[in-house]
Amino acid sequence: MRPSHSAGLAWLLSCTALLLAWPPSAQGGQPPPAATTLPVVAAEGRQLAVLHPAPKSAKRSAAINASAFESGAQRIHVVQVGGQTYRAATPLDGPRSRILFDPARRAFASLLPSIRLELAGGADAEAVGEALGATRVTVFERLGFAVIDLPHNLHPADAVDQARALPGRPEASVRLRSPPIEWR
């Protein structure tokens, strides 16, 4: 017998509550051993928490608790900040599965499957693209940056870290997907 929609929702909420209510261990108030720290990236002048798609995970930073779990064909991300809980659903994989959380705006942001590379300092966009296994590199010489389209299996936050580790330490950043325009 298939459970009703409300029963499934109740189960989903109870799993979320369990993940968010996981108590710190008795050893100095540290998070549980399975918890890791949320990585942070800068984009558009803001610091954003990276929500890597990791089912049944709990991650913490100083002010943010985050968890993710799979439900059917979606991944549910739950972020708790300042006593408020925020949720977002994404596909299990693909470019639209990669999201960030903006603690200042209390909102989720979707990542584009590419990064921005600043050309200042003599950065070679083609060399960086080759090192990352890029599918395409578009250079905007007059504007001083390049857009590097990433392979589907490389998360943009990881690509930024890899680019910054290359010789010359080129400056790279993630790119956010703009919200759709509503025409009237």
Side-chain angles (χ1 to χ4, degrees):
M1 176 182 276
R2 187 174 170 203
S4 70
H5 177 69
S6 61
L9 182 58
W11 177 83
L12 185 67
L13 292 174
S14 67
C15 288
T16 302
L18 179 62
L19 284 173
L20 292 175
W22 190 292
S25 70
Q27 300 173 354
Q30 297 296 317
T36 59
T37 303
L38 284 170
V40 175
V41 295
E44 299 177 3
R46 303 184 318 249
Q47 295 293 317
L48 307 167
V50 178
L51 303 176
H52 277 289
K56 299 179 185 170
S57 66
K59 297 178 182 178
R60 293 170 170 77
S61 69
I64 301 173
N65 290 335
S67 62
F69 56 92
E70 293 178 8
S71 175
Q74 293 184 324
R75 180 168 290 111
I76 310 299
H77 298 271
V78 182
V79 175
Q80 192 173 42
V81 179
Q84 297 290 321
T85 302
Y86 303 89
R87 292 175 181 80
T90 63
L92 292 177
D93 55 22
R96 295 228 181 240
S97 68
R98 298 170 179 159
I99 64 172
L100 305 168
F101 185 77
D102 184 344
R105 293 184 179 178
R106 304 286 205 256
F108 292 92
S110 182
L111 285 168
L112 287 170
S114 58
I115 63 171
R116 176 184 168 129
L117 179 74
E118 299 302 325
L119 298 177
D124 183 358
E126 294 296 333
V128 172
E130 185 176 323
L132 297 176
T135 58
R136 181 173 64 183
V137 176
T138 307
V139 177
F140 300 96
E141 191 74 38
R142 288 188 175 183
L143 297 175
F145 70 92
V147 174
I148 300 176
D149 293 336
L150 302 171
H152 73 281
N153 61 345
L154 181 57
H155 193 285
D158 297 334
V160 166
D161 289 342
Q162 290 177 21
R164 289 179 179 166
L166 293 172
R169 304 185 55 80
E171 183 59 35
S173 59
V174 296
R175 298 179 63 225
L176 304 180
R177 189 177 306 276
S178 298
I181 297 172
E182 292 185 28
W183 298 99
R184 294 179 191 239

